[in-house]
């Protein structure tokens, strides 16, 4: 596969002047950015390619987004790679996505490790996820566990509702009395209680919805919707989103 086969279209840069990382580092940098990587299928369809080619082309976007986050010093990134609802897709596409995620880890984990990225996964490890995928995930977690520059969480077989259900199951298993159930008790049973809530969520491909992503954690996140299809996403789109974020006023229900 030629590396430039999936090069992003130049005319897909953010419209209103792309900020550089140094334009942004004087302002507030979000501690946690989460992305709904959407639009792979449409990207492929526009080129007369099978949907799977769109997923393959999304790899370069993912890597460039991570590089951009490192450049800005963002310590937490979460990427939505496969939802609990994505099993509804045609079997061939699901099979492809499983294999693709496994091979992406195999190909990229050394590079991410060298950059100081800790890799984690949020989602259900259920019987539908092939063993070899779980094995590759575990190897990647283990290899990068000591890294602290940035934590990249791949939301894989992830659903926001499933995460809350799992937290409730743990509450019950822990024998927590009803009057002891509060936000702290629930939060501490989410997949990664150590992780701050996302400050900024970016969804590509012009869809304006959450699609079961981080339902608990998004309560006060700033949302940025970009028309760009995920395979064309580059750090310039991340920088543009961070610039938007820096212009927002967060009130958390209070007044400023
Ligand atoms: C996002 O792209 C990737 C996954 C959900 C796995 P899509 O595959 O949803 O692309 P569109 O939305 O059909 O264009
Ligand atoms: C959300 O995208 C899931 C991922 C990006 C992994 P979808 O393409 O599955 O969302 P819907 O179906 O358009 O809401
Ligand atoms: Mg989609």
């Amino acid at each position: 596969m030629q590396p430039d086969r999936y090069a992003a279209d130049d005319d897909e840069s953010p419209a209103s002047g792309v900020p550089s990382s140094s334009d942004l580092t004087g302002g507030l940098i979000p501690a946690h950015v989460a992305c709904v990587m959407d639009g792979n299928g449409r990207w492929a369809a526009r080129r007369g390619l099978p949907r799977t080619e769109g997923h393959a082309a999304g790899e370069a976007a993912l890597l460039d987004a991570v590089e951009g986050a490192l450049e800005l010093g963002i310590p937490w990134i979460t990427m939505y790679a496969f939802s609990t609802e994505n099993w509804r897709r045609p079997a061939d596409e699901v099979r492809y996505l499983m294999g693709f995620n496994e091979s992406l880890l195999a190909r990229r984990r050394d590079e991410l490790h060298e950059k100081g990225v800790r890799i984690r996964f949020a989602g259900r490890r259920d019987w539908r996820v092939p063993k070899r995928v779980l094995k590759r995930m575990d190897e990647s977690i283990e290899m990068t566990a000591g890294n602290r520059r940035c934590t990249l969480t791949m939301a894989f077989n992830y659903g926001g509702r499933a995460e809350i259900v799992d937290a409730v199951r743990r509450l019950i298993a822990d024998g927590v009395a009803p009057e002891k159930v509060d936000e702290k008790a629930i939060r501490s049973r989410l997949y990664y209680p150590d992780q701050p809530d996302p400050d900024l969520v970016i969804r590509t491909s012009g869809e304006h919805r959450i699609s079961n992503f981080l339902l608990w954690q998004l309560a006060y996140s700033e949302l940025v919707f970009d028309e760009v299809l995920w395979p064309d996403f580059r750090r310039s789109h991340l920088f543009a989103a961070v610039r938007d974020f820096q212009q927002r006023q967060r009130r958390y229900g209070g007044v400023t």
Side-chain angles (χ1 to χ4, degrees), residues 36-38 42 80-83 86 89 203 207 209 211:
V36 181
M37 308 186 283
D38 197 16
R42 278 163 284 169
Y80 204 3
F82 191 88
S83 77
N86 287 147
R89 296 188 176 203
R203 182 168 188 152
E207 304 294 0
R209 55 178 173 262
S211 300

Side-chain angles (χ1 to χ4, degrees), residues 219-220 222 249-256:
Y220 276 101
E222 295 297 326
Q249 265 197 11
R250 304 179 80 184
R251 283 187 285 272
Y252 301 97
V255 288
T256 43

Side-chain angles (χ1 to χ4, degrees), residues 34-36 78-80 155 158 160 201 210-215 218:
C35 290
V36 181
T78 300
M79 296 292 194
Y80 204 3
Y158 175 85
V201 178
I210 294 302
S211 300
N212 203 13
F213 193 37
L214 303 174
L215 294 181
L218 297 194

Side-chain angles (χ1 to χ4, degrees), residues 101-130:
N101 279 291
E102 192 243 333
S103 72
L104 186 146
L105 286 174
R107 278 179 284 104
R108 300 295 194 164
R109 63 180 177 195
D110 289 0
E111 189 180 327
L112 290 166
H113 180 46
E114 276 160 29
K115 291 182 171 54
V117 176
R118 172 170 60 160
I119 303 172
R120 307 202 292 199
F121 298 87
R124 280 191 174 162
R125 296 171 65 101
D126 65 35
W127 57 272
R128 294 173 295 184
V129 182

